[in-house]
Amino acid sequence: MFTHVFLGSNDIEKSRQFYDATMSVLGYQNVAPVEAGRLIYAGPQGTFIVAPPYDGEAATVSNGHTLGFSAPDDETIVKWYEAGLAAGGVDEGAPGPRAAAPNQSHGAYLRDPDGNKVCAFHMRH
């Protein structure tokens, strides 16, 4: 359904620390060179990009927006969450079952250094 997701960042180095830590737990590595000033995590299901907004304005957080990443199991959710906290993320919901998700799927939520809400979920189908 999606080709890519782009999140704006006001401090790409803080974003690099956070996303390199969390995305590596999910099996993705940043493929953009440091001098590019952006982060690119590409996979077979799409590409995730973090960079300063192209219009030159400050990046802002969208109210009600959450970006969810797929995780293969509950253990990976915990590792993702812990890596994110250690890399400057802020807790928005500790790992565990989510009553509103199908089949009590497990997830965890964090805010990245720019305040974007991100989560990792192991969907139990």
Side-chain angles (χ1 to χ4, degrees), residues 43 45 73 110:
Q45 300 300 317
D73 53 46
L110 293 167

Side-chain angles (χ1 to χ4, degrees), residues 7 13 24-25 34 51 61 69 83 91-92 96 123-125:
L7 287 182
E13 289 310 312
S24 68
V25 171
V34 172
V61 177
F69 296 104
D91 171 56
E92 278 289 325
M123 298 304 290
R124 297 177 179 180
H125 300 284

Side-chain angles (χ1 to χ4, degrees), residues 21-78:
T22 57
M23 296 303 285
S24 68
V25 171
L26 300 176
Y28 299 97
Q29 302 301 315
N30 175 30
V31 297
V34 172
E35 61 274 8
R38 66 180 52 104
L39 310 172
I40 300 173
Y41 304 89
Q45 300 300 317
T47 301
F48 175 53
I49 304 161
V50 180
Y54 286 116
D55 66 5
E57 299 293 325
T60 59
V61 177
S62 172
N63 186 28
H65 177 268
T66 302
L67 176 59
F69 296 104
S70 179
D73 53 46
D74 295 350
E75 182 179 304
T76 301
I77 298 294
V78 173

Side-chain angles (χ1 to χ4, degrees), residues 80-115:
W80 177 89
Y81 178 81
E82 291 172 350
L85 288 177
V90 176
D91 171 56
E92 278 289 325
R98 297 298 189 248
N103 301 316
Q104 293 285 305
S105 294
H106 278 231
Y109 293 84
L110 293 167
R111 293 275 178 182
D112 75 5
D114 286 290

Side-chain angles (χ1 to χ4, degrees), residues 11-23:
D11 187 330
I12 201 68
E13 289 310 312
K14 283 184 180 178
S15 291
R16 183 183 314 281
Q17 291 173 358
F18 178 82
Y19 285 110
D20 280 358
T22 57
M23 296 303 285

